[in-house]
Amino acid sequence: VPVDPFDLVVFGATGDLARRKLIPALYHRMRDGQAPESARIVGAARSEMDADGFRRMAEEALEEFLPAAERDRASVARFLAMLDYRAVDAMGDGGWDGLSDALSCDAGRPRAFYLSVAPKLFGPIAGRIAAQGLGGDGARIVVEKPLGRDLASARALNAQLAEAFDESRIYRIDHYLGKETVQNLMALRFANALFEPLWNARHVDHVQITVAESVGIEGRGPYYDGVGAMRDMVQNHLLQLLCLTAMEPPARFSADTVRDEKLKVLRALAPLDPREIVRGQYRNGGNATSYIDDAGDPDSRTESYVALKAEVANWRWSGAPFYLRTGKRLRARMSEIAIVFKEAPHSIFPGDEGAERPNMLVIRLQPDEGITLAMTIKDPGPGGMRLTDANLDMTFAQKLGAMTRMPDAYERLVMDVIRGDQTLFMRGDEVEAAWAWIDPAIAAWEAASEKPRPYDIGSSGPEDALMLMHRDHRRWREIK
Ligand code: BG6
């Protein structure tokens, strides 16, 4: 569905996120006919550059980050014509008049400011936008994590943003919410009658959420070191996945009904037990360098892996824990949510007693997005009544058929900003509730100067993470 013509100002337009994600996403939306060519995309950054200079940079970004098959000359030329640029001093007065001139005077035109800048600039830039009178008429502001590094700083940031923009106009991105399969989780749960009766601790034994990466911290040491997997991944992406899995059905699919239900889940989380958290740090392994080398600090205590057991203490989930794990430099890139059901109460098949064959619903986020339902069937053939495992499998790429390109999360999210739809964005109170839950755990290990457990590059994480499950007579799914 095409969106109305809009003005989008991208602060930090020459930075890595803008080049890698945002510019390609906007290009695709235009090429697919969703973003009209009369939309204006105004890059704003400190560098002195003219519009042509910015267009050249954008063209190079498309070349670097999109396959040639997706870049036909005509579309690229049409896209570049939508771009403009203004040098703006985010912390001072310089350049703001020029920025204002670049924007349309049409009050009915949606206007959004995307802050692809260092987080310490979020508050000051929001304040300047308002002070310059550019924030009126329903203008929206977009920010992305890190949204604070603990509850206090997240509160301070929310307060700063609130001075300049109403909550209904603040779009906090968690790019996991823009992933196709994550949205599909909601379709699966709330557009099918089949699962809801089983979606509770009476039938579900536990849930496993895994976001495993094979990459390391890739030159991001200065950001990542001192932050770690708990803040970088659990506080946002993994908790969002947990919320969507655990929440009650909202009355309708709208921004506040969905976010109210997610917030209730966050508030229902039982305090984390420090004994149920395992932190790890990668080391050794072939040609890859260890975490401390990547971070440039031999004494770093930052975790590149974390596994934990969470309890959603409410009627639906009490007794069915959620195990979460995420880490870098693991065996494979694999993200999934596995709902592991309870075993059949009694086995009628001789010889099959004690076999562990729980039904499992696996929602694969990446790679190979899709859904698998693990079942038990009769082993085909004349060999008697022997049982075996079989999967009911659905891969989205197959379903999409000819349309093989999966849109990137940012494509969906940026268009939602223009449409004014906040459903897939985090509300301020959600962000705070997530910090409130993880803060005490971080404070405890920081106070104890606890060292993360080493794990080998290319493994599935530290041994202790296996124990986290074994203690409960459960086991992690294989990372492969
Ligand atoms: C980011 C984290 O938010 O998500 C990174 O800061 C991480 O550390 C990335 O690598 C993972 O995103 P994706 O979409 O590749 O799973």
Side-chain angles (χ1 to χ4, degrees), residues 145 175-176 179 211 213 215 220 223-224 232-233 236-237 328 333 335 366:
K145 66 169 262 276
H175 79 280
Y176 268 57
K179 288 185 193 273
V211 178
E213 297 184 278
V215 293
R220 292 165 75 224
Y223 154 72
Y224 193 91
D232 183 50
M233 298 293 286
N236 38 82
H237 308 322
K328 299 202 181 278
R333 178 172 190 247
S335 298
Q366 56 199 24

Side-chain angles (χ1 to χ4, degrees), residues 106-421:
D106 177 358
R109 198 173 160 108
R111 177 183 290 177
F113 297 92
Y114 196 117
L115 273 42
S116 180
V117 295
K120 64 174 191 293
L121 296 177
F122 291 164
I125 295 183
R128 292 225 161 240
I129 293 169
Q132 297 284 336
L134 301 177
D137 300 326
R140 293 144 208 173
I141 189 160
V142 187
V143 290
E144 182 164 7
K145 66 169 262 276
L147 301 171
R149 59 174 280 118
D150 52 23
L151 177 58
S153 52
R155 275 195 180 137
L157 173 61
N158 280 340
Q160 276 184 318
L161 294 175
E163 274 175 33
F165 285 84
D166 185 73
E167 180 64 34
S168 63
R169 299 195 279 126
I170 303 174
Y171 289 73
R172 295 178 190 81
I173 289 193
D174 182 311
H175 79 280
Y176 268 57
L177 295 179
K179 288 185 193 273
E180 201 57 32
T181 340
V182 176
Q183 295 168 52
N184 234 309
L185 171 59
M186 285 188 276
L188 182 81
R189 284 197 59 196
F190 304 133
N192 295 286
L194 195 60
F195 297 113
E196 177 55 25
L198 305 176
W199 210 264
N200 55 57
R202 222 166 334 130
H203 300 286
V204 173
D205 179 71
H206 70 281
V207 176
Q208 300 186 17
I209 302 182
T210 301
V211 178
E213 297 184 278
S214 50
V215 293
I217 56 171
E218 313 286 279
R220 292 165 75 224
Y223 154 72
Y224 193 91
D225 199 44
V227 171
M230 188 76 151
R231 290 186 175 100
D232 183 50
M233 298 293 286
V234 177
Q235 188 272 345
N236 38 82
H237 308 322
L238 277 89
L239 278 183
Q240 286 292 323
L241 298 179
L242 180 150
C243 283
L244 295 175
T245 309
M247 74 186 191
E248 296 301 314
R252 13 171 230 292
F253 189 63
S254 73
D256 277 331
T257 50
V258 170
R259 299 186 301 174
D260 287 346
E261 295 305 336
K262 287 196 292 167
L263 182 63
K264 284 186 211 159
V265 173
L266 291 168
R267 291 192 172 152
L269 287 168
L272 264 172
D273 179 343
R275 288 165 307 182
E276 310 275 22
I277 307 174
V278 177
R279 300 164 66 233
Q281 198 184 65
Y282 59 83
R283 59 138 194 227
N284 306 336
N287 300 324
T289 43
S290 64
Y291 178 86
I292 50 175
D293 291 330
D294 289 350
D297 174 6
D299 298 320
S300 173
R301 295 181 172 216
T302 301
E303 78 284 356
S304 57
Y305 175 101
V306 64
L308 58 86
K309 177 178 172 184
E311 309 259 5
V312 181
N314 63 16
W315 274 46
R316 186 188 284 265
W317 292 113
S318 199
F322 283 67
Y323 297 90
L324 273 45
R325 64 179 163 164
T326 181
K328 299 202 181 278
R329 282 259 186 265
L330 296 176
R331 186 172 303 139
R333 178 172 190 247
M334 181 192 99
S335 298
E336 60 167 45
I337 302 168
I339 320 289
V340 183
F341 290 93
K342 292 196 166 151
E343 302 254 2
H346 164 69
S347 172
I348 65 167
F349 300 106
D352 200 58
E353 303 88 356
E356 286 180 26
R357 301 184 193 282
N359 290 130
M360 220 183 285
L361 180 69
V362 181
I363 297 138
R364 292 191 305 276
L365 269 46
Q366 56 199 24
D368 187 25
E369 292 95 331
I371 296 171
T372 297
L373 185 57
M375 313 272 293
T376 299
I377 60 165
K378 176 187 169 298
D379 204 359
M385 196 60 190
R386 279 206 313 262
L387 301 182
T388 187
D389 305 332
N391 287 340
L392 287 179
D393 227 326
M394 202 265 285
T395 302
F396 293 141
Q398 281 167 0
K399 171 91 182 134
L400 287 172
M403 202 197 105
T404 42
R405 195 184 73 83
M406 273 288 214
D408 185 72
Y410 285 86
E411 295 183 38
R412 166 76 202 245
L413 296 175
V414 176
M415 289 300 107
D416 278 359
V417 173
I418 304 302
R419 284 192 205 97
D421 183 350

Side-chain angles (χ1 to χ4, degrees), residues 7-11 40-45 48-51 83-90 92-105 111 113 128 132-134:
D7 284 0
L8 174 70
V9 179
V10 182
F11 281 93
R40 294 179 199 186
I41 300 164
V42 185
E48 286 297 339
M49 194 191 324
D50 60 10
L83 305 185
D84 198 351
Y85 181 84
R86 292 293 186 273
V88 178
D89 177 5
D93 290 327
W96 285 91
D97 289 344
L99 179 61
S100 168
D101 293 343
L103 300 175
S104 158
C105 314
R111 177 183 290 177
F113 297 92
R128 292 225 161 240
Q132 297 284 336
L134 301 177

